[in-house]
Amino acid sequence: MALSNNDIFKKLRVAHKLRDDDIIKIFTLVDFKVTKSELGSIFRKEDHPKYVECGDQFLRNFLNGLIIHLRGPMPPKKNKPKQKE
């Protein structure tokens, strides 16, 4: 039995003790706008009439934002000088 994106998102929310406001801030780190009502729809049970399936893009943006939230922004890469032959 595989986990759905909704299940993964719920487990990450609980594991990191995130509230709706925290999740919205994480999404803003990757310039992805989300409302509290959208989050509520994703965290509902599957048999609820207003349940919404969490898409791949939604989860991907959350994971990218979570990385920035936990580690900080990625430092700029330094260009290595080309070696002369």
Side-chain angles (χ1 to χ4, degrees):
M1 184 173 139
L3 292 175
S4 69
N5 286 350
N6 292 60
D7 294 333
I8 294 168
F9 196 23
K10 288 176 191 176
K11 289 181 182 294
L12 287 169
R13 178 185 186 194
V14 171
H16 290 283
K17 300 176 186 172
L18 299 172
R19 297 177 181 233
D20 288 346
D21 294 332
D22 300 327
I23 294 171
I24 291 170
K25 288 177 187 175
I26 288 171
F27 275 111
T28 58
L29 293 173
V30 290
D31 298 325
F32 193 82
K33 294 182 181 181
V34 177
T35 63
K36 283 189 179 185
S37 61
E38 288 174 311
L39 290 177
S41 298
I42 288 174
F43 292 128
R44 294 183 192 277
K45 291 186 178 185
E46 287 183 36
D47 59 348
H48 194 278
K50 297 199 178 195
Y51 168 81
V52 174
E53 191 171 315
C54 179
D56 292 339
Q57 181 181 6
F58 195 87
L59 185 60
R60 180 177 57 248
N61 281 302
F62 174 73
L63 292 172
N64 288 335
L66 187 62
I67 290 169
I68 294 170
H69 175 73
L70 296 174
R71 289 192 206 167
M74 198 168 174
K77 293 184 179 181
K78 295 179 183 178
N79 292 334
K80 294 182 181 179
K82 294 183 180 179
Q83 294 178 351
K84 295 182 181 180
E85 293 182 18

